[in-house]
PDB file of all heavy atoms in Angstrom:
ATOM      1  N   GLU A 494     -32.983 -22.313 -10.172  1.00  0.00           N
ATOM      2  CA  GLU A 494     -33.824 -21.456  -9.333  1.00  0.00           C
ATOM      3  C   GLU A 494     -35.298 -21.830  -9.369  1.00  0.00           C
ATOM      4  O   GLU A 494     -36.107 -21.217  -8.695  1.00  0.00           O
ATOM      5  CB  GLU A 494     -33.657 -19.980  -9.736  1.00  0.00           C
ATOM      6  CG  GLU A 494     -32.220 -19.480  -9.816  1.00  0.00           C
ATOM      7  CD  GLU A 494     -31.354 -19.872  -8.635  1.00  0.00           C
ATOM      8  OE1 GLU A 494     -31.832 -19.807  -7.485  1.00  0.00           O
ATOM      9  OE2 GLU A 494     -30.197 -20.285  -8.853  1.00  0.00           O
ATOM     10  N   SER A 495     -35.642 -22.834 -10.171  1.00  0.00           N
ATOM     11  CA  SER A 495     -37.065 -23.212 -10.221  1.00  0.00           C
ATOM     12  C   SER A 495     -37.406 -24.083  -9.019  1.00  0.00           C
ATOM     13  O   SER A 495     -36.572 -24.850  -8.545  1.00  0.00           O
ATOM     14  CB  SER A 495     -37.335 -23.990 -11.508  1.00  0.00           C
ATOM     15  OG  SER A 495     -38.579 -24.654 -11.408  1.00  0.00           O
ATOM     16  N   PRO A 496     -38.646 -23.988  -8.536  1.00  0.00           N
ATOM     17  CA  PRO A 496     -39.018 -24.906  -7.446  1.00  0.00           C
ATOM     18  C   PRO A 496     -39.150 -26.356  -7.927  1.00  0.00           C
ATOM     19  O   PRO A 496     -39.307 -27.259  -7.111  1.00  0.00           O
ATOM     20  CB  PRO A 496     -40.361 -24.357  -6.960  1.00  0.00           C
ATOM     21  CG  PRO A 496     -40.862 -23.470  -8.036  1.00  0.00           C
ATOM     22  CD  PRO A 496     -39.685 -23.002  -8.833  1.00  0.00           C
ATOM     23  N   TYR A 497     -39.087 -26.571  -9.250  1.00  0.00           N
ATOM     24  CA  TYR A 497     -39.209 -27.936  -9.776  1.00  0.00           C
ATOM     25  C   TYR A 497     -37.911 -28.390 -10.429  1.00  0.00           C
ATOM     26  O   TYR A 497     -37.288 -27.646 -11.182  1.00  0.00           O
ATOM     27  CB  TYR A 497     -40.372 -28.020 -10.783  1.00  0.00           C
ATOM     28  CG  TYR A 497     -41.660 -27.676 -10.097  1.00  0.00           C
ATOM     29  CD1 TYR A 497     -42.323 -26.493 -10.392  1.00  0.00           C
ATOM     30  CD2 TYR A 497     -42.179 -28.515  -9.112  1.00  0.00           C
ATOM     31  CE1 TYR A 497     -43.489 -26.154  -9.714  1.00  0.00           C
ATOM     32  CE2 TYR A 497     -43.331 -28.184  -8.433  1.00  0.00           C
ATOM     33  CZ  TYR A 497     -43.981 -27.002  -8.737  1.00  0.00           C
ATOM     34  OH  TYR A 497     -45.104 -26.667  -8.060  1.00  0.00           O
ATOM     35  N   CYS A 498     -37.539 -29.626 -10.129  1.00  0.00           N
ATOM     36  CA  CYS A 498     -36.263 -30.132 -10.630  1.00  0.00           C
ATOM     37  C   CYS A 498     -36.209 -30.199 -12.143  1.00  0.00           C
ATOM     38  O   CYS A 498     -35.171 -29.957 -12.745  1.00  0.00           O
ATOM     39  CB  CYS A 498     -35.992 -31.512 -10.040  1.00  0.00           C
ATOM     40  SG  CYS A 498     -35.595 -31.389  -8.306  1.00  0.00           S
ATOM     41  N   ARG A 499     -37.341 -30.526 -12.770  1.00  0.00           N
ATOM     42  CA  ARG A 499     -37.294 -30.695 -14.237  1.00  0.00           C
ATOM     43  C   ARG A 499     -36.867 -29.403 -14.934  1.00  0.00           C
ATOM     44  O   ARG A 499     -36.371 -29.439 -16.055  1.00  0.00           O
ATOM     45  CB  ARG A 499     -38.632 -31.192 -14.773  1.00  0.00           C
ATOM     46  CG  ARG A 499     -39.799 -30.275 -14.476  1.00  0.00           C
ATOM     47  CD  ARG A 499     -41.104 -30.762 -15.088  1.00  0.00           C
ATOM     48  NE  ARG A 499     -42.174 -29.834 -14.785  1.00  0.00           N
ATOM     49  CZ  ARG A 499     -42.878 -29.840 -13.652  1.00  0.00           C
ATOM     50  NH1 ARG A 499     -42.628 -30.762 -12.738  1.00  0.00           N
ATOM     51  NH2 ARG A 499     -43.821 -28.953 -13.447  1.00  0.00           N
ATOM     52  N   LYS A 500     -37.032 -28.285 -14.273  1.00  0.00           N
ATOM     53  CA  LYS A 500     -36.632 -27.015 -14.900  1.00  0.00           C
ATOM     54  C   LYS A 500     -35.217 -26.613 -14.485  1.00  0.00           C
ATOM     55  O   LYS A 500     -34.730 -25.571 -14.890  1.00  0.00           O
ATOM     56  CB  LYS A 500     -37.614 -25.918 -14.503  1.00  0.00           C
ATOM     57  CG  LYS A 500     -38.993 -26.193 -15.032  1.00  0.00           C
ATOM     58  CD  LYS A 500     -39.885 -25.001 -14.810  1.00  0.00           C
ATOM     59  CE  LYS A 500     -41.275 -25.293 -15.352  1.00  0.00           C
ATOM     60  NZ  LYS A 500     -42.283 -24.505 -14.675  1.00  0.00           N
ATOM     61  N   ASN A 501     -34.588 -27.399 -13.627  1.00  0.00           N
ATOM     62  CA  ASN A 501     -33.225 -27.094 -13.186  1.00  0.00           C
ATOM     63  C   ASN A 501     -32.237 -28.080 -13.826  1.00  0.00           C
ATOM     64  O   ASN A 501     -32.636 -28.919 -14.621  1.00  0.00           O
ATOM     65  CB  ASN A 501     -33.151 -27.156 -11.655  1.00  0.00           C
ATOM     66  CG  ASN A 501     -33.971 -26.038 -11.019  1.00  0.00           C
ATOM     67  OD1 ASN A 501     -34.054 -24.955 -11.578  1.00  0.00           O
ATOM     68  ND2 ASN A 501     -34.567 -26.310  -9.882  1.00  0.00           N
ATOM     69  N   THR A 502     -30.973 -27.957 -13.473  1.00  0.00           N
ATOM     70  CA  THR A 502     -29.952 -28.809 -14.086  1.00  0.00           C
ATOM     71  C   THR A 502     -29.494 -29.889 -13.118  1.00  0.00           C
ATOM     72  O   THR A 502     -29.130 -29.575 -11.981  1.00  0.00           O
ATOM     73  CB  THR A 502     -28.725 -27.948 -14.456  1.00  0.00           C
ATOM     74  OG1 THR A 502     -29.189 -26.812 -15.145  1.00  0.00           O
ATOM     75  CG2 THR A 502     -27.752 -28.715 -15.308  1.00  0.00           C
ATOM     76  N   LEU A 503     -29.499 -31.113 -13.610  1.00  0.00           N
ATOM     77  CA  LEU A 503     -29.031 -32.213 -12.775  1.00  0.00           C
ATOM     78  C   LEU A 503     -27.502 -32.203 -12.774  1.00  0.00           C
ATOM     79  O   LEU A 503     -26.867 -32.215 -13.820  1.00  0.00           O
ATOM     80  CB  LEU A 503     -29.550 -33.546 -13.319  1.00  0.00           C
ATOM     81  CG  LEU A 503     -29.190 -34.785 -12.511  1.00  0.00           C
ATOM     82  CD1 LEU A 503     -29.862 -34.760 -11.147  1.00  0.00           C
ATOM     83  CD2 LEU A 503     -29.592 -36.046 -13.252  1.00  0.00           C
ATOM     84  N   ILE A 504     -26.926 -32.169 -11.594  1.00  0.00           N
ATOM     85  CA  ILE A 504     -25.466 -32.093 -11.472  1.00  0.00           C
ATOM     86  C   ILE A 504     -24.881 -33.475 -11.219  1.00  0.00           C
ATOM     87  O   ILE A 504     -23.774 -33.790 -11.634  1.00  0.00           O
ATOM     88  CB  ILE A 504     -25.117 -31.193 -10.261  1.00  0.00           C
ATOM     89  CG1 ILE A 504     -25.558 -29.780 -10.529  1.00  0.00           C
ATOM     90  CG2 ILE A 504     -23.646 -31.221  -9.935  1.00  0.00           C
ATOM     91  CD1 ILE A 504     -24.944 -29.211 -11.751  1.00  0.00           C
ATOM     92  N   GLY A 505     -25.627 -34.291 -10.535  1.00  0.00           N
ATOM     93  CA  GLY A 505     -25.120 -35.625 -10.242  1.00  0.00           C
ATOM     94  C   GLY A 505     -26.174 -36.390  -9.483  1.00  0.00           C
ATOM     95  O   GLY A 505     -27.089 -35.797  -8.908  1.00  0.00           O
ATOM     96  N   ALA A 506     -26.050 -37.713  -9.546  1.00  0.00           N
ATOM     97  CA  ALA A 506     -27.020 -38.536  -8.810  1.00  0.00           C
ATOM     98  C   ALA A 506     -26.310 -39.790  -8.357  1.00  0.00           C
ATOM     99  O   ALA A 506     -25.403 -40.279  -9.038  1.00  0.00           O
ATOM    100  CB  ALA A 506     -28.192 -38.888  -9.707  1.00  0.00           C
ATOM    101  N   PHE A 507     -26.676 -40.264  -7.205  1.00  0.00           N
ATOM    102  CA  PHE A 507     -26.096 -41.522  -6.741  1.00  0.00           C
ATOM    103  C   PHE A 507     -27.062 -42.205  -5.794  1.00  0.00           C
ATOM    104  O   PHE A 507     -27.983 -41.574  -5.276  1.00  0.00           O
ATOM    105  CB  PHE A 507     -24.727 -41.288  -6.079  1.00  0.00           C
ATOM    106  CG  PHE A 507     -24.781 -40.401  -4.869  1.00  0.00           C
ATOM    107  CD1 PHE A 507     -24.925 -40.945  -3.593  1.00  0.00           C
ATOM    108  CD2 PHE A 507     -24.664 -39.021  -4.995  1.00  0.00           C
ATOM    109  CE1 PHE A 507     -24.965 -40.125  -2.475  1.00  0.00           C
ATOM    110  CE2 PHE A 507     -24.702 -38.198  -3.874  1.00  0.00           C
ATOM    111  CZ  PHE A 507     -24.848 -38.755  -2.616  1.00  0.00           C
ATOM    112  N   GLU A 508     -26.808 -43.507  -5.623  1.00  0.00           N
ATOM    113  CA  GLU A 508     -27.671 -44.269  -4.736  1.00  0.00           C
ATOM    114  C   GLU A 508     -27.092 -44.307  -3.346  1.00  0.00           C
ATOM    115  O   GLU A 508     -25.881 -44.439  -3.181  1.00  0.00           O
ATOM    116  CB  GLU A 508     -27.765 -45.710  -5.234  1.00  0.00           C
ATOM    117  CG  GLU A 508     -28.758 -45.866  -6.327  1.00  0.00           C
ATOM    118  CD  GLU A 508     -28.950 -47.326  -6.689  1.00  0.00           C
ATOM    119  OE1 GLU A 508     -28.348 -48.209  -6.016  1.00  0.00           O
ATOM    120  OE2 GLU A 508     -29.692 -47.579  -7.639  1.00  0.00           O
ATOM    121  N   PHE A 509     -27.952 -44.240  -2.384  1.00  0.00           N
ATOM    122  CA  PHE A 509     -27.515 -44.360  -0.997  1.00  0.00           C
ATOM    123  C   PHE A 509     -28.294 -45.529  -0.382  1.00  0.00           C
ATOM    124  O   PHE A 509     -29.486 -45.406  -0.097  1.00  0.00           O
ATOM    125  CB  PHE A 509     -27.807 -43.046  -0.258  1.00  0.00           C
ATOM    126  CG  PHE A 509     -27.528 -43.093   1.210  1.00  0.00           C
ATOM    127  CD1 PHE A 509     -26.312 -43.559   1.706  1.00  0.00           C
ATOM    128  CD2 PHE A 509     -28.488 -42.672   2.124  1.00  0.00           C
ATOM    129  CE1 PHE A 509     -26.057 -43.589   3.070  1.00  0.00           C
ATOM    130  CE2 PHE A 509     -28.245 -42.704   3.494  1.00  0.00           C
ATOM    131  CZ  PHE A 509     -27.028 -43.176   3.960  1.00  0.00           C
ATOM    132  N   PRO A 510     -27.626 -46.700  -0.214  1.00  0.00           N
ATOM    133  CA  PRO A 510     -28.335 -47.853   0.349  1.00  0.00           C
ATOM    134  C   PRO A 510     -28.692 -47.592   1.809  1.00  0.00           C
ATOM    135  O   PRO A 510     -27.884 -47.056   2.557  1.00  0.00           O
ATOM    136  CB  PRO A 510     -27.318 -48.990   0.242  1.00  0.00           C
ATOM    137  CG  PRO A 510     -26.195 -48.475  -0.579  1.00  0.00           C
ATOM    138  CD  PRO A 510     -26.213 -46.984  -0.500  1.00  0.00           C
TER     139      PRO A 510
END
Side-chain angles (χ1 to χ4, degrees):
E494 309 314 318
S495 165
Y497 299 110
C498 289
R499 59 177 181 276
K500 296 189 180 154
N501 293 326
T502 312
L503 183 66
I504 294 302
F507 61 93
E508 278 187 4
F509 174 50

